[in-house]
Amino acid sequence: MPDVIVLGAGMVGVSTALALQERGSEVVMLDRGDPVAASSYGNAGIIQVEAAEPYAMPRSFRELAAIALGRSNAVVWHAAALPGALRPLWAYFRNSAPARLERIARTYATLTSRATSDHAPWIEAARADRWIRRDGFRHVFRDPRDLSTAVMRAERVTRDHGVRFEVLDGPALARKEPSLRRPLAGALHWLDPWTCRDPGALVKAYTDLFRSRGGRVLHGNAMTLTRRAGGWHARTNEATWVGAPHAVIAMGMQSAALCRRFGLRVPLFAKRGYHCHFETRSGPDLPLVDVASSSVLAPMAGGLRILTGAEIAREGAKARHVQLERARNDASELFDLGDPVDPVPWLGTRPCMPDMLPVLGGVPDQPGLWAHFGHGHQGFTLGPTTAAILAEEMTGGAPVPSALTPARLARQ
C-alpha cells in the first residue's frame, strides 16, 4: 500500500507527489484524464517571482464601472453567474482593500520569492531546461500615464519585497523588440521571473521524473474518495480501488466539491481564461503583457499564445470569445500575426480564493486528508513551493503557516 494518494495531476498535484517522494513517501497520483490538457498546460508559462502581491480586485469606481458596462477587457462576466458568485466576490473585494492586501501580501511574498529556486532542481533533474528562459518578461504600455503609474507601483513593490525591474522608454523597447509594428510609451521589464515555452511539456517532464523515481500515475474518479479502515480509498478506471493512509486533494476547482463531502466548505470561485495560438511572421522575443488589452502574448513551441484576462461564468457555461477577439485585434497592432493554429480556442479555469491565498494543510476532523489547491493565477508558479511546505508537515516537519491552512476558513 502506498503512503499517499495525490488526487489531481496538474502542476500542483505532480509537485505534491514529487515533494513527498523526495521525503521518502511512496506516492500514487490519481487523475481523471490527461493533466497536460488542463490549466497547467494553458497558462502563460511564467514563473512569477515578481508577483509578490496577488491579483486584487479593482476598487476604483472607474475600473468597476468599465467592468460592469463591458468596456474592460480585464474582466467580463455572465449575468447568470452572479447569484452564485456574489458572496466570494464581495469577500474578494473586501480583501483587496489596501490594508488587508498588504497583510495578505506579506504571506504571499514568502511564497513567490522562492518559486524559481523551488522549480530549479526539478527542471534540472527532468532535463527540461530547453523550455526555460531566465531573463524575465515585460509589461508594455501604450499610454505614458499608465507607464508612470506602473513605475511608481513597481518601485514600491521593489522596496517592500526586493523584486527587480528596469524601465524601458519607447525607443529602448523598440530596440529590444524590433518586430513591434508601432511605437509604444515603454515597458517594465521584470528581471527575475523565468518563462517556459511549453508549460504542458514541463508538467509532463515533472510527471515522467516522478515515474522514474518509482511513482505511479493512475486514471480514476477522485470523487469516489472514501474513508475506510486503514485510510483513504478511491476507485480507478480499471474498477479497482487504491488506498493509502493519506490523501491530498489537489484538483483545482473540483476540490471544493470533494471537500464539501468531508465537512469543509471552501469558497472557491472560478476565473475562466482563454488562449489561442497564432502563426507569427514576427513576434515578441520575450513574453509580454499588453496592459491596455489586459492580455498576454507569449512565444510558445506551438506558436504565439495570446491569453485573456478573467471571465466570471457558471460552471459549464458556453464559451464566449469576446476577450480573445479584442486581444487578437490589439495584438495585431503590435505584431504581424498569421492565422490561428488552434481549431478551437482553449478554455481553462483558475481556482481562486477570496483571500487570494492557496489552501494547504490538514482538513479539519479528517485525519490523513490534506488540501492543496486554490492558487488562482499562480498554480504554475507556486506548485513546487506550496508542495514543499505541505510535504514538510505531512512528513513530520514544520507545520504549514496558519494563514494558509483550511482551518482559517472557519475564521472568515
Side-chain angles (χ1 to χ4, degrees):
M1 175 184 286
D3 301 305
V4 186
I5 307 168
V6 175
L7 306 168
M11 177 59 83
V12 173
V14 71
S15 296
T16 308
L18 278 168
L20 287 165
Q21 193 180 57
E22 288 184 342
R23 287 162 176 78
S25 297
E26 184 180 342
V27 185
V28 169
M29 281 200 301
L30 183 75
D31 198 275
R32 63 184 178 181
D34 180 6
V36 176
S39 295
S40 293
Y41 152 77
N43 58 75
I46 306 174
I47 302 173
Q48 288 192 248
V49 291
E50 96 296 343
E53 295 180 354
Y55 291 110
M57 180 183 285
R59 292 180 61 85
S60 75
F61 176 79
R62 180 179 61 84
E63 291 175 292
L64 291 172
I67 292 170
L69 297 173
R71 296 172 181 166
S72 169
N73 208 36
V75 182
V76 299
W77 52 279
H78 298 208
L82 292 185
L86 277 178
R87 186 170 180 177
L89 287 176
W90 173 243
Y92 181 27
F93 178 79
R94 292 176 63 223
N95 285 320
S96 298
R100 291 193 181 194
L101 183 61
E102 181 181 359
R103 184 171 63 250
I104 290 166
R106 285 198 294 269
T107 297
Y108 202 79
T110 65
L111 305 178
T112 56
S113 64
R114 53 182 281 191
T116 52
S117 60
D118 287 328
H119 272 275
W122 293 346
I123 290 171
E124 181 179 3
R127 299 179 180 177
D129 197 71
R130 62 188 180 276
W131 294 304
I132 304 299
R133 288 186 62 169
R134 294 170 172 81
D135 45 2
F137 75 103
R138 302 185 179 104
H139 283 77
V140 300
F141 298 85
R142 300 169 187 237
D143 189 325
R145 294 168 298 181
D146 292 338
L147 174 59
S148 178
T149 300
V151 169
M152 288 189 291
R153 178 187 177 274
E155 288 172 342
R156 179 184 57 76
V157 174
T158 294
R159 183 174 62 251
D160 292 345
H161 303 293
V163 299
R164 299 185 305 143
F165 72 96
E166 66 178 8
V167 181
L168 303 175
D169 63 15
L173 175 60
R175 289 192 294 272
K176 296 281 189 179
E177 293 288 0
S179 296
L180 275 170
R181 302 177 72 178
R182 53 159 290 182
L184 295 175
L188 286 180
H189 184 166
W190 297 101
L191 299 170
D192 297 321
W194 294 357
T195 60
C196 176
R197 62 190 297 269
D198 194 335
L202 187 64
V203 175
K204 183 179 184 301
Y206 286 0
T207 303
D208 291 344
L209 177 63
F210 168 70
R211 284 192 175 106
S212 73
R213 294 174 172 178
R216 290 188 292 153
V217 181
L218 304 176
H219 288 149
N221 182 3
M223 297 302 293
T224 63
L225 185 71
T226 186
R227 187 176 176 182
R228 299 179 183 173
W232 297 91
H233 298 258
R235 190 177 179 86
T236 73
N237 288 352
E238 288 71 36
T240 60
W241 289 80
V242 59
H246 297 271
V248 181
I249 300 171
M251 299 161 54
M253 275 304 300
Q254 287 70 47
S255 300
L258 185 53
C259 285
R260 194 177 306 121
R261 286 183 43 208
F262 300 105
L264 179 65
R265 300 193 69 84
V266 183
L268 272 181
F269 67 98
K271 293 183 187 177
R272 301 205 311 188
Y274 298 82
H275 85 224
C276 188
H277 293 94
F278 294 86
E279 298 173 353
T280 50
R281 301 179 184 92
S282 65
D285 175 50
L286 284 176
L288 61 84
V289 178
D290 181 0
V291 174
S293 182
S294 299
S295 59
V296 181
L297 283 62
M300 294 282 176
L304 180 65
R305 179 177 292 186
I306 298 180
L307 305 100
T308 68
E311 179 187 57
I312 307 300
R314 293 179 62 183
E315 183 180 358
K318 184 179 179 181
R320 292 167 54 181
H321 298 146
V322 57
Q323 285 173 296
L324 192 58
E325 285 304 312
R326 291 174 181 170
R328 177 187 181 178
N329 290 338
D330 288 343
S332 66
E333 295 179 5
L334 303 183
F335 298 98
D336 187 9
L337 298 185
D339 294 328
V341 175
D342 305 318
V344 178
W346 177 90
L347 168 62
T349 303
R350 309 173 183 105
C352 300
M353 290 294 296
D355 64 2
M356 294 165 271
L357 294 172
V359 181
L360 57 150
V363 175
D365 303 318
Q366 300 293 339
L369 185 61
W370 304 83
H372 191 197
F373 53 80
H375 295 70
H377 295 256
Q378 301 294 3
F380 187 79
T381 292
L382 293 179
T385 296
T386 51
I389 294 169
L390 177 63
E392 187 170 354
E393 177 173 343
M394 289 181 65
T395 55
V400 171
S402 61
L404 302 175
T405 64
R408 80 181 195 258
L409 303 178
R411 303 190 294 268
Q412 297 179 0

